[in-house]
Amino acid sequence: MMIDHLSRAVISDPGQDLNIGKEESDHILPDSKMVPLRLRKRTLHETKIRTNSTLTENVLSHKVQFDGRILSRNGRDACRELVGFFFVHDKSLTMYEYRQFGKNRTSVLPFIQKNIYSHQYGRRKGKQYQLGDFYIGATLTFLSANHPSLPKSMKENILLRLRITNIDQIALDSLKPASVEHEEDIICQEANDRRVFKAIQDVLRENLHKRGVRILTGLGKYFQQLDKEGNGLLDKADFQQAIKVFHLTVSEKDFESLWLILNDISNGKGKVDYGEFKRATIGEMNEYRKSFVRKAFMKLDFNKTGIVPMIDVRKCYCAKKHPQVISGHSTEEEIKSSFLETLKGACSKSDEVSYGEFEDYYEGLSIGVVGDEDFVNILRTPWGV
């Protein structure tokens, strides 16, 4: 088929338009003030290439481009930069990964092969991906066994979860009228799920306002200790115990509603991913905020291992512009020491911090910060991101 041939041609020749300047591969944040995806130079699936059939160009042009990240506590995987395309004509999708070689050379390598895929988790499990499944914050799920080229760390989990961080909204809006499909039952179920989650999150947000960092980091460590199999899954009793240990305000009725939903979308096997449990009960910071957390960690993680020694954190943390230092109420050393002590409390090892622990710290901090730019400044000031 001509379309598949073009897709393969793009990746078959390593020298054909795969290397791009570093400035072109920088992560674009989900902010309306930033340059939209459609205006950024891309060489993948370029529709201006001359082909034997104009139909191929026209068909390929009906696509939505998006950026993504991997939902993982493994720092190496969580900081991978992905770009994908959803093709409306056959409802197929493909994804590529930006990989940096040396200081100034970035290449784009295949990550998810072009094919037609279905949801592997949640209310829509078994349903083929539709245009309506693509928006900032959406989660795409794949069976890791179906992608043999994935790194070993990703193959350890049955599911590969990818989060959409940015999308070509103009292309999406232009294609929606021609591709609208409704599944009323699923939509109603998902809306009900969100109502249950929001009711719990609203109560907990008040509960966590002043102790979000301690609760989020504590829960992260607690769940990891309970997870003896290392698969990220825990049973009902584990979550009930966690709620008691951390004095979370969740009524028995709300917990039962929550558990029924999470167990149902997890195939009713009696075990639930604790990342999903945290997102359902506490919520999570938006993709704009999370992108800065990832940038800060990537700046610290010189060796791209997903783990940063505390000595490097101390070297990189700059308290010079902290409000209390500027006002003269604290010294730089006092602010730095206070931050490091709090961060160490979030870590399973006192001499290093993993990506998951770093993210938990700022996830907790995010709860008490209303404005996105206020939160971003909290990261910009010490890390220079």
Side-chain angles (χ1 to χ4, degrees):
M1 224 177 133
M2 287 295 296
I3 298 165
D4 289 334
H5 171 73
L6 181 56
S7 296
R8 286 196 299 271
V10 173
I11 61 174
S12 62
D13 181 3
Q16 182 183 352
D17 291 335
L18 287 185
N19 296 330
I20 58 179
K22 185 178 185 305
E23 68 276 8
E24 293 170 358
S25 69
D26 284 344
H27 186 80
I28 303 299
L29 304 171
D31 183 355
S32 60
K33 297 175 185 176
M34 303 299 287
V35 178
L37 279 166
R38 69 188 183 88
L39 297 181
R40 282 187 278 151
K41 184 181 177 183
R42 299 289 196 194
T43 54
L44 300 171
H45 299 286
E46 175 59 66
T47 57
K48 293 180 181 177
I49 294 173
R50 287 185 176 276
T51 63
N52 294 328
S53 167
T54 56
L55 177 63
T56 303
E57 286 189 26
N58 292 335
V59 166
L60 278 176
S61 69
H62 297 156
K63 66 183 185 299
V64 174
Q65 185 179 325
F66 58 92
D67 288 344
R69 64 181 177 87
I70 299 164
L71 286 177
S72 173
R73 290 183 68 84
N74 180 307
R76 294 186 70 178
D77 295 336
C79 292
R80 292 175 187 270
E81 294 184 274
L82 309 177
V83 58
F85 300 85
F86 178 75
F87 298 92
V88 176
H89 76 283
D90 64 354
K91 296 175 184 173
S92 66
L93 68 86
T94 184
M95 295 191 76
Y96 299 89
E97 178 188 2
Y98 289 116
R99 293 284 297 277
Q100 188 154 343
F101 299 91
K103 290 184 177 180
N104 301 312
R105 179 172 166 246
T106 302
S107 291
V108 186
L109 304 176
F111 188 77
I112 296 291
Q113 297 291 341
K114 186 175 185 294
N115 210 334
I116 296 171
Y117 295 98
S118 301
H119 294 270
Q120 298 300 323
Y121 181 84
R123 295 293 187 194
R124 297 174 188 261
K125 184 176 180 182
K127 299 287 184 182
Q128 187 178 319
Y129 282 113
Q130 309 286 342
L131 191 64
D133 295 318
F134 293 82
Y135 52 89
I136 293 174
T139 301
L140 309 178
T141 54
F142 303 87
L143 291 176
S144 55
N146 292 343
H147 304 279
S149 62
L150 290 176
K152 185 180 178 182
S153 58
M154 294 184 206
K155 291 180 184 176
E156 291 173 354
N157 297 314
I158 295 173
L159 285 184
L160 170 65
R161 301 167 191 253
L162 306 179
R163 174 67 54 81
I164 295 177
T165 60
N166 197 20
I167 199 161
D168 183 348
Q169 193 62 47
I170 293 177
L172 186 65
D173 291 343
S174 69
L175 293 168
K176 270 184 179 176
S179 180
V180 176
E181 295 190 21
H182 291 289
E183 294 173 329
E184 295 298 338
D185 290 342
I186 292 176
I187 291 171
C188 287
Q189 283 181 316
E190 289 175 337
N192 183 59
D193 294 347
R194 284 194 291 271
R195 280 194 293 270
V196 172
F197 295 159
K198 187 176 186 308
I200 294 172
Q201 288 168 15
D202 286 347
V203 173
L204 282 178
R205 193 157 289 272
E206 289 298 317
N207 193 223
L208 298 175
H209 186 71
K210 291 184 179 179
R211 57 191 188 111
V213 171
R214 188 159 58 87
I215 295 296
L216 265 293
T217 56
L219 273 174
K221 288 171 68 175
Y222 187 77
F223 287 146
Q224 282 185 302
Q225 289 167 1
L226 292 177
D227 182 18
K228 304 300 182 185
E229 296 179 14
N231 58 9
L233 301 176
L234 296 174
D235 60 29
K236 184 178 182 180
D238 291 329
F239 293 120
Q240 287 174 319
Q241 185 63 28
I243 284 172
K244 288 180 182 177
V245 169
F246 290 91
H247 306 289
L248 299 178
T249 312
V250 180
S251 68
E252 190 173 330
K253 181 182 177 182
D254 283 343
F255 178 82
E256 287 301 323
S257 299
L258 173 74
W259 179 256
L260 284 172
I261 293 171
L262 293 177
N263 188 46
D264 189 25
I265 62 180
S266 301
N267 302 322
K269 294 181 179 179
K271 291 210 170 193
V272 166
D273 181 277
Y274 54 79
E276 291 294 325
F277 181 83
K278 279 172 61 180
R279 283 189 281 273
T281 53
I282 297 171
E284 62 180 328
M285 69 178 100
N286 61 41
E287 290 304 316
Y288 180 65
R289 295 187 182 201
K290 194 152 287 195
S291 66
F292 280 92
V293 174
R294 290 171 65 229
K295 277 190 171 186
F297 190 83
M298 289 166 73
K299 193 169 182 178
L300 290 168
D301 190 11
F302 310 116
N303 299 318
K304 311 298 180 195
T305 61
I307 295 173
V308 178
M310 280 295 177
I311 191 169
D312 289 341
V313 177
R314 172 174 274 279
K315 285 178 184 176
C316 293
Y317 187 86
C318 177
K320 197 174 290 185
K321 295 182 181 178
H322 193 281
Q324 290 187 25
V325 173
I326 293 173
S327 66
H329 287 90
S330 301
T331 65
E332 288 182 50
E333 186 55 35
E334 286 171 342
I335 295 296
K336 183 178 289 192
S337 296
S338 175
F339 166 76
L340 289 170
E341 283 305 309
T342 307
L343 187 61
K344 282 179 183 178
C347 303
S348 54
K349 296 180 180 178
S350 62
D351 61 344
E352 63 183 29
V353 57
S354 69
Y355 173 78
E357 292 162 342
F358 190 82
E359 185 182 65
D360 282 346
Y361 173 85
Y362 281 105
E363 191 82 63
L365 200 63
S366 177
I367 291 173
V369 183
V370 177
D372 283 350
E373 290 308 319
D374 291 334
F375 178 79
V376 168
N377 286 332
I378 290 173
L379 281 150
R380 276 198 179 120
T381 302
W383 305 120
V385 293

